[in-house]
Amino acid sequence: MTLEASRTARPALDAPLTEDEIEAAHRRIEGAAIVTPLVPTLDGRTHLKLECLQPYGSYKIRGATNAVRARIEVDGEVDTIISASAGNFGQAVAAAAQAYGLKCIIHAPDIAARVKIESLKRLGAEVREHSFARWWEIMQSRETGEKGVFIHPVAEREVIAGAATLGDELMDDLPNARTIYVPFGGGGLISGIAQAVKARNPSCRIVAVESEVSIPLKAAFEAGKPVTVERGPSFIDGMGSTGVLEDMWPLLQRVVDDVVVVSVAEVSEAVNRLLQEHHVVAEGAGAAALAAAAHDPAHNTIAIVSGGNIDWPVLEKIVAFKR
């Protein structure tokens, strides 16, 4: 079966995930991803899902591994895997490709954390760095001018199903969760978590978290459609763009209950809090959900600490400033 045929045979991106798809994802990622702990904050109100402890420091190992292995299962012979990533998804794709002896090409924005870019290269990936504008064009079009199987870091059913395995774990550990705060980059993580969680706990609220430097999802909900927004500079490199992907918008409208915007200062405080109180290293996007949950007085809330790949000079500045 050709790649084009296999893609057209799959359900639409916004069609609900099936139990079979999520179970297949659990099977494919076994041995690559770990079941990460859910630990309470010191005040006991919020629970932290520590995806920063995954191999390569991010939840992305789930969706990337599922997508690569699914492509091999369905499409047979694959020579080259191509993706676009700010670093975390790219690392996970590169690791999965390396395990099968496949060539891997990752297109990254030039603002990506250096620790992520260096890790990509150590994993054998060929890295193409672009301006953020050009990188976002690739994210929207999937066109790179190179031959190979392109796996989108967000808008792929297998990537979303991989994220759904995280939602299953949350329900195993805290089935009466009231609200789950999820950092929003492109929507793959939150749409996977939401579908798995709401299948078992329909009353649980799923809240997307954006930072003040970029609010594409909040702007889209206010306008009723994806719109272009400004994206300012900050150390929070793993989330925020200039718009919501058109392919993802119908799904996000269905599964996201609310959007919360946090400041860069609040995210910095959350990075420091995770380090000081929990001995956990989190990147900006990874700490954003805790920054949002800190304003919620309710118990049984969950913050997804999505990744821990932060440049050490950035972390040193945050810790020094907070002393």
Side-chain angles (χ1 to χ4, degrees):
M1 182 183 292
T2 65
L3 175 61
E4 290 74 16
S6 70
R7 288 186 62 84
T8 56
R10 290 149 63 205
L13 194 64
D14 62 335
L17 289 175
T18 66
E19 290 185 12
D20 286 346
E21 285 178 294
I22 299 175
E23 282 303 313
H26 277 291
R27 171 178 54 80
R28 292 190 189 109
I29 71 173
E30 187 175 3
I34 65 171
V35 176
T36 52
L38 186 69
V39 302
T41 53
L42 296 184
D43 60 16
R45 290 190 297 106
T46 302
H47 288 72
L48 307 170
K49 181 61 169 172
L50 299 180
E51 285 293 288
C52 54
L53 301 181
Q54 286 287 4
Y56 312 107
S58 166
Y59 78 93
K60 296 283 192 177
I61 191 74
R62 298 173 184 269
T65 300
N66 187 44
V68 170
R69 292 181 177 178
R71 287 293 187 277
I72 293 171
E73 287 178 11
V74 173
D75 300 315
E77 292 186 11
V78 175
D79 296 318
T80 303
I81 300 291
I82 304 170
S83 190
S85 168
N88 283 342
F89 188 81
Q91 291 176 79
V93 166
Q98 187 181 64
Y100 286 95
L102 305 177
K103 181 179 178 180
C104 180
I105 301 171
I106 302 297
H107 293 263
D110 56 15
I111 62 168
R114 291 301 96 186
V115 66
K116 299 177 183 180
I117 298 299
E118 293 307 314
S119 179
L120 282 169
K121 293 176 180 178
R122 286 196 300 272
L123 287 165
E126 294 182 15
V127 182
R128 315 272 196 260
E129 293 193 60
H130 308 276
S131 68
F132 185 88
R134 170 57 186 144
W135 177 76
W136 188 243
E137 287 177 3
I138 294 172
M139 287 282 286
Q140 293 175 305
S141 69
R142 300 173 181 255
E143 295 296 331
T144 66
E146 296 169 307
K147 292 184 178 180
V149 174
F150 186 90
I151 296 178
H152 199 283
V154 175
E156 299 278 4
R157 286 189 68 85
E158 293 84 4
V159 170
I160 294 169
T165 65
L166 195 166
D168 273 350
E169 291 175 17
L170 296 178
M171 290 296 93
D172 290 342
D173 289 342
L174 194 67
N176 63 335
R178 181 171 178 172
T179 305
I180 301 174
Y181 292 92
V182 187
F184 181 82
L189 176 60
I190 197 168
S191 57
I193 288 176
Q195 292 184 78
V197 167
K198 287 184 178 291
R200 296 168 63 176
N201 180 356
S203 65
C204 184
R205 294 177 69 249
I206 307 297
V207 178
V209 181
E210 295 185 304
S211 79
E212 62 186 348
V213 300
S214 177
I215 55 168
L217 187 59
K218 182 176 178 60
F221 273 112
E222 290 177 347
K225 61 181 180 180
V227 294
T228 300
V229 299
E230 294 293 324
R231 186 182 192 278
S234 80
F235 75 96
I236 310 169
D237 67 305
M239 58 189 266
S241 63
T242 55
V244 172
L245 292 164
E246 293 280 352
D247 288 350
M248 292 295 294
W249 176 235
L251 178 56
L252 293 169
Q253 282 183 293
R254 178 165 62 84
V255 302
V256 176
D257 295 307
D258 198 3
V259 183
V260 171
V261 177
V262 294
S263 69
V264 173
E266 288 172 320
V267 174
S268 178
E269 175 61 37
V271 169
N272 187 64
R273 180 180 170 190
L274 285 164
L275 184 61
Q276 300 297 334
E277 296 182 7
H278 299 281
H279 310 288
V280 166
V281 174
E283 61 190 84
L290 176 58
H295 296 287
D296 190 336
H299 285 255
N300 290 340
T301 61
I302 296 173
I304 308 298
V305 184
S306 57
N309 293 312
I310 187 170
D311 280 336
W312 286 109
V314 173
L315 183 61
E316 289 171 353
K317 287 181 181 179
I318 291 173
V319 174
F321 178 77
K322 297 297 179 181
R323 282 178 180 167

